[in-house]
Amino acid sequence: MFSNSEYLAGRGLVDGIMLKAIRGKTLNESQKAFNRVISKTRCLIERTFGSIRRWFLGGRCRYRGLERTHTQNILEAMAYNLKRMPGLLVLEGVK
């Protein structure tokens, strides 16, 4: 079995997986810095999916078949954008 990092390296992809400390061993400073760099992008993405899950009970497939499930995901993303739009417009008006 390959680890995720080995799999990505074998395919020539950039490893963007956060590092985790092992019991009894802490991360060194370079590993902590790597995690900080990754977290700036990761938090933006995970916030979106977390909000969809919280507001619309996303992450659960309500239908059978890829087409219907994909449609459900698209509609959840559209609903997320519509729910956030008033707040974004207020921020634009403040500037």
Side-chain angles (χ1 to χ4, degrees):
M1 278 315 276
F2 291 110
S3 70
N4 289 334
S5 298
E6 292 170 350
Y7 181 80
L8 293 172
R11 299 245 187 283
L13 299 170
V14 176
D15 182 7
I17 300 172
M18 292 186 80
L19 303 171
K20 187 176 178 180
I22 300 170
R23 184 182 307 186
K25 256 183 144 175
T26 60
L27 295 176
N28 61 31
E29 289 305 314
S30 65
Q31 291 171 327
K32 288 179 184 177
F34 178 75
N35 281 349
R36 272 193 295 275
V37 169
I38 292 172
S39 68
K40 290 177 184 176
T41 303
R42 184 175 173 170
C43 72
L44 297 173
I45 304 302
E46 289 190 8
R47 176 182 172 186
T48 303
F49 289 109
S51 297
I52 288 173
R53 186 174 188 130
R54 188 173 55 251
W55 292 338
F56 310 115
L57 302 176
R60 308 224 30 155
C61 293
R62 293 178 178 85
Y63 308 102
R64 289 189 183 175
L66 287 176
E67 291 177 8
R68 290 181 181 178
T69 301
H70 180 67
T71 302
Q72 172 193 343
N73 292 336
I74 296 295
L75 290 173
E76 287 171 350
M78 291 169 60
Y80 171 80
N81 288 331
L82 288 171
K83 184 169 175 90
R84 288 211 47 226
M85 187 54 65
L88 295 175
L89 291 176
V90 168
L91 287 175
E92 282 294 318
V94 172
K95 291 182 181 179

